[in-house]
Amino acid sequence: MTARRSRIPATRYPVERFNLDNGLRVVLTPDRSAPVIGVAVVYDVGIRSEPEGRTGFAHLFEHLMFQGSENLEKLAHFRHVQGAGGTFNGSTHLDYTDYFETLPSNALERALFLEADRMRGPRLTEENLRNQVDVVKEEIRVNVLNRPYGGFPWLTLPPVMFDTFPNAHDGYGSFDDLESATVADAADFFRRYYASGNAVLAVSGDIDVAEATRLIERHFGDVPARPAPQRPDFTEPDLTAERRTSYTDKLAPLPAVASAWRVPDPITDFLGYLPYVVLAEVLTDGDASRLVERLVQRDRAVTSVGGYLGFMGDPFDVRDPTALLLQAHLPPGGDVEKVLRTVDEELDRLATDGLTEGELARTQARMATHLLRDTDAVLGRALRMAVLEQQRGEPGLLNDLPRLVGEVTDEQVRAAAATLRPQRRASIEVIAGGAR
């Protein structure tokens, strides 16, 4: 165990944390090795927070935050970032929404001004709202309605596994809900969730901590103070009986299936959760993994198989309830029942016989490499630290993740595999309607 642990590399990124009087939490992680910075603002609002009758609103609001702000006209944010040689974007997740830029370090103040200005208030006009509703509807057409396997399984499996609206509803949103949204709805959503007390600002890269602190206080210090809203309760009981459903995808050329099992709370039971993160990789990461070797190479029962934690594949930035997912695409005429039986067999074999020599160490080394790669760039570091601060108050956990993954034992992985029983499973089958 000691020898294996010593091979897992570690990072020592420095972390400075402080709060502004208006409740904004700030994380700074200086790195003077290159003249570049990553800036991220994370708001504690995501798909699970949107109210009934407003499906898709969290994602719609992400679009609205780019349509001008208190002192800037529409598209000004784009011009100011790109004019400084930077890139930018935003994304909506189950439990948060983020906005971020990568810029030369001499453009730090520009980035802070831009983010502070839209934290004070985006330009919520009827024109902007209608325009962005149309943009989101087009995204749904392109990414879900007119694409093979659109929304599979991140949109199609949650309503099989969950019963409550926050966990089960369509995060992209219905056209009816999007079209009925009003400017007043958008303003209320902003007041409630886009409060300074509900946000984290993270800056990583070529910064002087004292100077960055001064600039952050200058630009964010006068953002009106509004406390974080009470977070809705997303909890619901685990399954006690298997759930299965299927649907025909008229564009899908091949059948597919996805299954999910609930896992421990990733925030309050992190050490109990980690073995499931490792288990997903043991099962599906690389040609030597359990299910790839059995289902793809030996049985040829599937053409591909993947496993991951969280419906959006984000194991370290999601709250409870969440799940371990396995998904596979089958060849023409493939047998979904046989695939599920084989998965059960391999889980039983792992739980009973344990891992082979070197199997766990190989998996942990790959996982550590991916973790280090994902946070090597300053933006990846800022985003990860912002979410860790948001959900745990522990941005420095980023430095510990490779080590913690490396400390998961064979016994813990075996025990995790033993809990993935058919009666706790939710599955959805895609029937190929576009095979011809």
Side-chain angles (χ1 to χ4, degrees):
M1 184 67 177
T2 303
R4 185 180 74 231
R5 210 180 290 174
S6 67
R7 292 199 296 268
I8 299 295
T11 55
R12 294 181 176 84
Y13 296 123
V15 181
E16 301 282 345
R17 302 168 66 217
F18 61 92
N19 291 6
L20 298 186
D21 291 342
N22 58 16
L24 178 68
R25 287 182 276 171
V26 180
V27 178
L28 303 178
T29 175
D31 177 357
R32 311 306 294 269
S33 62
V36 63
I37 55 168
V39 178
V41 178
V42 173
Y43 294 90
D44 199 344
V45 55
I47 289 169
R48 286 201 267 215
S49 301
E50 56 195 21
E52 292 193 53
R54 289 292 173 264
T55 59
F57 212 88
H59 178 222
L60 171 63
F61 208 86
E62 175 214 320
H63 283 253
L64 290 172
M65 287 287 280
F66 286 98
Q67 302 306 303
S69 53
E70 187 169 272
N71 294 295
L72 294 172
E73 72 280 7
K74 190 171 183 174
L75 301 182
H77 192 112
F78 299 50
R79 290 196 299 271
H80 283 299
V81 174
Q82 292 172 334
T87 59
F88 64 93
N89 213 330
S91 59
T92 310
H93 301 253
L94 289 180
D95 293 307
Y96 66 93
T97 306
D98 57 25
Y99 304 87
F100 47 88
E101 296 87 17
T102 301
L103 288 155
S105 53
N106 61 7
L108 172 61
E109 186 165 15
R110 180 178 299 207
L112 297 176
F113 164 75
L114 293 171
E115 291 296 350
D117 203 56
R118 61 178 168 187
M119 186 178 287
R120 290 188 191 89
R123 293 205 175 194
L124 302 177
T125 66
E126 184 68 22
E127 178 189 1
N128 284 344
L129 177 61
R130 299 275 71 87
N131 174 268
Q132 293 311 302
V133 164
D134 288 342
V135 170
V136 172
K137 287 167 60 180
E138 185 61 20
E139 276 195 35
I140 295 171
R141 293 187 187 99
V142 171
N143 294 332
V144 180
L145 301 179
N146 296 321
R147 171 179 290 186
Y149 313 105
F152 171 79
W154 77 278
L155 291 179
T156 56
L157 189 50
V160 182
M161 169 165 265
F162 298 118
D163 296 320
T164 64
F165 173 81
N167 298 314
H169 77 275
D170 183 343
Y172 244 137
S174 76
F175 282 14
D176 288 344
D177 284 355
L178 290 167
E179 288 167 353
S180 64
T182 67
V183 172
D185 293 330
D188 180 66
F189 195 83
F190 176 80
R191 283 192 300 268
R192 180 178 303 180
Y193 293 111
Y194 278 72
S196 53
N198 207 37
V200 173
L201 165 68
V203 183
S204 175
D206 184 21
I207 58 171
D208 174 81
V209 170
E211 174 68 4
T213 300
R214 183 182 66 81
L215 292 174
I216 289 167
E217 290 173 341
R218 172 193 293 176
H219 290 284
F220 287 89
D222 64 351
V223 173
R226 298 199 313 280
Q230 182 168 349
R231 190 179 306 115
D233 183 7
F234 302 139
T235 59
E236 60 179 280
D238 195 1
L239 298 184
T240 56
E242 184 178 15
R243 294 184 180 183
R244 292 273 298 275
T245 191
S246 63
Y247 68 98
T248 299
D249 183 336
K250 60 182 174 57
L251 300 176
L254 297 170
V257 64
S259 297
W261 297 260
R262 288 278 294 276
V263 295
D265 188 320
I267 307 296
T268 64
D269 188 15
F270 188 52
L271 294 182
Y273 171 78
L274 275 176
Y276 291 86
V277 182
V278 176
L279 172 60
E281 301 297 314
V282 167
L283 292 172
T284 65
D285 186 30
D287 289 344
S289 63
R290 295 272 174 138
L291 294 181
V292 173
E293 193 277 331
R294 172 74 187 275
L295 287 168
V296 179
Q297 297 174 353
R298 192 196 320 172
D299 294 355
R300 301 191 184 276
V302 305
T303 57
S304 65
V305 62
Y308 48 95
L309 271 290
F311 287 90
M312 301 180 77
D314 42 11
F316 300 120
D317 51 10
V318 66
R319 294 189 174 105
D320 190 66
T322 190
L324 183 152
L325 282 81
L326 297 175
Q327 68 179 82
H329 290 77
L330 284 66
D335 187 342
V336 167
E337 294 291 343
K338 180 180 178 182
V339 170
L340 294 179
R341 283 197 308 271
T342 303
V343 169
D344 291 337
E345 289 173 12
E346 289 300 314
L347 288 170
D348 287 343
R349 187 164 69 89
L350 180 55
T352 302
D353 300 336
L355 293 99
T356 60
E357 180 67 27
E359 185 178 10
L360 181 58
R362 179 184 69 243
T363 301
Q364 290 167 318
R366 288 168 67 102
M367 294 177 70
T369 299
H370 295 156
L371 286 167
L372 294 167
R373 180 198 62 199
D374 291 346
T375 55
D376 182 56
V378 290
L379 180 59
R381 212 174 306 159
L383 284 166
R384 175 62 54 81
M385 285 196 176
V387 178
L388 290 172
E389 169 65 35
Q390 181 75 267
Q391 297 183 349
R392 304 167 181 272
E394 293 183 82
L397 182 63
L398 176 144
N399 289 316
D400 297 325
L401 285 176
R403 173 183 60 80
L404 292 171
V405 164
E407 290 177 352
V408 171
T409 66
D410 296 53
E411 292 74 19
Q412 289 174 312
V413 175
R414 289 177 63 177
T419 69
L420 305 190
R421 310 309 305 155
Q423 65 268 23
R424 298 184 58 245
R425 178 172 64 199
S427 298
I428 189 158
E429 177 185 353
V430 178
I431 299 170
R436 294 184 181 181

